[in-house]
């Protein structure tokens, strides 16, 4: 999506508070990243839209700015525009369908976004780098354990399936022959 884990957690909180799904925000930010690249690669319509909004896409060194920074700038511009057809059109072009869903989130501009992040931090709802790293290690170890158990099950199946199949075949033959006790049937 092109944002830091801290920014994502702040946006997750902002999503809940503003009635937007975090999925819509993620889709909008993905779309923003794509259109930023399209503008860099020469898409006239997108370049003109960013220019009309007075949003710079490149850093001093010529590389693209972080998508969260551009999103913050967009929030400022959209907040100043108020509800309008122009804002809706620009948000749809730059953020996709999620653009209209994100109007409440962006209503107070970059200050509103920063405030959401600060409140989330004050509430202890933003994981720091250390906890994020430990959390990732925890997740990785859980996945490793699940696959180790899966491997053990496969080894057990490999050892016992031939025996189980042979036993089932013997049972089938006994039932088909009418030999319910496993004794040789006698006719006579």
């Amino acid at each position: 999506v092109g944002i830091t884990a801290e920014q994502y957690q702040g946006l997750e909180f902002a999503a809940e508070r503003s009635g937007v799904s975090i999925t819509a925000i993620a889709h909008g930010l993905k779309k923003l990243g794509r259109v930023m690249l399209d503008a860099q690669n020469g898409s006239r319509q997108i370049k003109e839209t960013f220019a009309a909004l007075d949003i710079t896409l490149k850093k001093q060194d010529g590389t693209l700015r972080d998508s969260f920074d551009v999103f913050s700038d967009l929030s400022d511009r959209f907040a100043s525009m108020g509800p309008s057809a122009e804002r809706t059109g620009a948000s749809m072009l730059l953020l996709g369908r999620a653009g209209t869903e994100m109007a409440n989130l962006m209503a107070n501009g970059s200050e509103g976004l920063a405030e959401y992040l600060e409140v989330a931090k004050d509430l202890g709802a933003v994981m720091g780098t250390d906890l994020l790293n430990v959390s990732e290690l925890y997740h990785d170890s859980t996945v490793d354990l699940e696959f180790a158990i899966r491997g053990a099950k496969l080894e057990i199946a490999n050892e016992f399936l031939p025996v189980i199949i042979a036993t089932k075949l013997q049972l089938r033959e006994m039932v088909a022959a009418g030999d319910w006790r496993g004794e040789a049937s006698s006719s006579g």
Side-chain angles (χ1 to χ4, degrees):
V1 176
I3 61 175
T4 67
E6 183 178 276
Q7 291 165 338
Y8 180 86
Q9 292 172 81
L11 285 174
E12 186 176 26
F13 176 73
E16 287 290 325
R17 290 280 297 270
S18 61
V20 181
S21 75
I22 189 65
T23 303
I25 293 172
H27 287 209
L29 290 172
K30 282 181 195 174
K31 172 75 173 180
L32 179 60
R34 281 194 308 269
V35 298
M36 288 170 60
L37 189 60
D38 289 345
Q40 183 183 33
N41 292 333
S43 172
R44 190 174 58 82
Q45 180 186 22
I46 295 170
K47 269 185 176 180
E48 288 174 359
T49 302
F50 280 117
L53 293 169
D54 195 28
I55 294 177
T56 305
L57 294 178
K58 294 183 181 180
K59 299 177 193 173
Q60 294 286 66
D61 64 4
T63 60
L64 285 175
R65 293 174 59 210
D66 294 333
S67 57
F68 187 81
D69 294 339
V70 173
F71 179 70
S72 294
D73 288 351
L74 274 176
S75 295
D76 287 336
R77 300 317 180 274
F78 290 166
S80 69
M81 293 170 83
S84 66
E86 290 82 12
R87 182 181 79 179
T88 301
S91 67
M92 294 280 295
L93 178 65
L94 301 177
L95 301 169
R97 278 183 272 146
T100 56
E101 294 178 51
M102 295 165 61
N104 284 344
L105 172 76
M106 302 169 79
N108 294 317
S110 60
E111 275 187 28
L113 296 175
E115 186 178 321
Y116 281 129
L117 180 56
E118 282 307 309
V119 171
K121 283 180 181 178
D122 290 346
L123 294 172
V126 176
M127 289 190 276
T129 305
D130 291 341
L131 184 54
L132 282 168
N133 291 338
V134 170
S135 176
E136 190 172 331
L137 289 173
Y138 171 79
H139 174 74
D140 291 349
S141 66
T142 300
V143 170
D144 291 351
L145 179 60
E146 288 172 1
F147 274 80
I149 291 170
R150 180 177 172 182
K153 287 178 182 178
L154 291 172
E155 282 187 41
I156 291 168
N158 190 41
E159 292 294 320
F160 286 102
L161 277 178
V163 173
I164 293 169
I165 292 169
T167 303
K168 284 186 171 189
L169 290 173
Q170 285 179 327
L171 287 171
R172 183 185 72 190
E173 288 175 20
M174 287 177 9
V175 170
D179 184 6
W180 300 98
R181 295 183 196 107
E183 302 169 359
S185 63
S186 58
S187 50

